[in-house]
């Protein structure tokens, strides 16, 4: 069996999360946890409400100045936003590694069953993981 038979293509695992999506999710969760509106946070941060909405939905890549302003409006420092986003990315990476390893074991087991069955010639199945 070649190495590429046991590896699942990256696309099959889904794309890695984009930074702007992760940061937007962090900001939105914090705002909602505080029971605040987009308009309230945007006003305190000194940005437009539609722009903040776009940032939260991951449609806009906010500058560090904008992120610092929104973080401050939410009572966070920029380092807090970065730490929360890093935690999200680490969890996503762990899920991707788990899915990748599980998929590789499944493919290896299925190929082993097929090969063992063919080798025995009478339908005997030998499982190997």
């Amino acid at each position: 069996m070649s190495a590429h038979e046991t590896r699942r293509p990256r696309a099959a695992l889904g794309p890695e999360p984009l930074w702007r999506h992760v940061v937007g999710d962090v900001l939105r969760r914090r705002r909602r946890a505080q029971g605040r509106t987009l308009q309230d946070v945007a006003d305190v941060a000194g940005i437009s409400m539609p722009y903040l909405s776009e940032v939260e939905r991951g449609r806009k890549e906010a500058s560090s100045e904008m992120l610092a302003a929104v973080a401050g409006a939410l009572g966070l420092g920029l380092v807090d936003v970065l730490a929360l986003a890093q935690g999200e990315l680490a969890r996503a990476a762990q899920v991707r590694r788990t899915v990748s390893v599980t998929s590789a074991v499944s493919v290896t087991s299925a190929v082993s069953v097929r090969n063992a069955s063919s080798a025995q010639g009478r339908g005997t199945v030998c499982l190997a993981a």
Side-chain angles (χ1 to χ4, degrees):
M1 170 178 13
S2 67
H4 75 281
E5 286 181 274
T6 61
R7 289 191 191 147
R8 196 163 190 193
R10 277 182 87 82
L13 296 175
E16 290 190 63
L18 296 177
W19 177 250
R20 67 177 186 261
H21 293 152
V22 175
V23 170
D25 288 343
V26 165
L27 295 174
R28 180 185 300 117
R29 276 195 308 275
R30 181 54 60 119
R31 178 181 58 79
R32 287 180 174 171
Q34 294 177 3
R36 297 175 64 191
T37 65
L38 278 167
Q39 190 65 60
D40 174 46
V41 174
D43 288 346
V44 173
I47 62 175
S48 73
M49 189 270 298
Y51 183 76
L52 178 56
S53 175
E54 294 283 302
V55 169
E56 282 190 0
R57 289 183 288 147
R59 293 189 175 195
K60 295 287 184 188
E61 190 86 45
S63 68
S64 58
E65 291 86 359
M66 288 293 186
L67 287 177
V70 174
L74 293 169
L76 301 171
L78 192 51
V79 70
D80 300 317
V81 174
L82 298 175
L84 291 166
Q86 185 274 335
E88 293 289 320
L89 289 170
R91 279 188 288 283
Q94 181 61 40
V95 167
R96 290 176 60 78
R97 280 192 294 275
T98 301
V99 168
S100 180
V101 168
T102 302
S103 297
V105 168
S106 296
V107 169
T108 302
S109 296
V111 170
S112 296
V113 167
R114 185 183 69 228
N115 290 344
S117 179
S118 298
Q120 298 296 326
R122 292 202 167 93
T124 303
V125 176
C126 299
L127 294 178

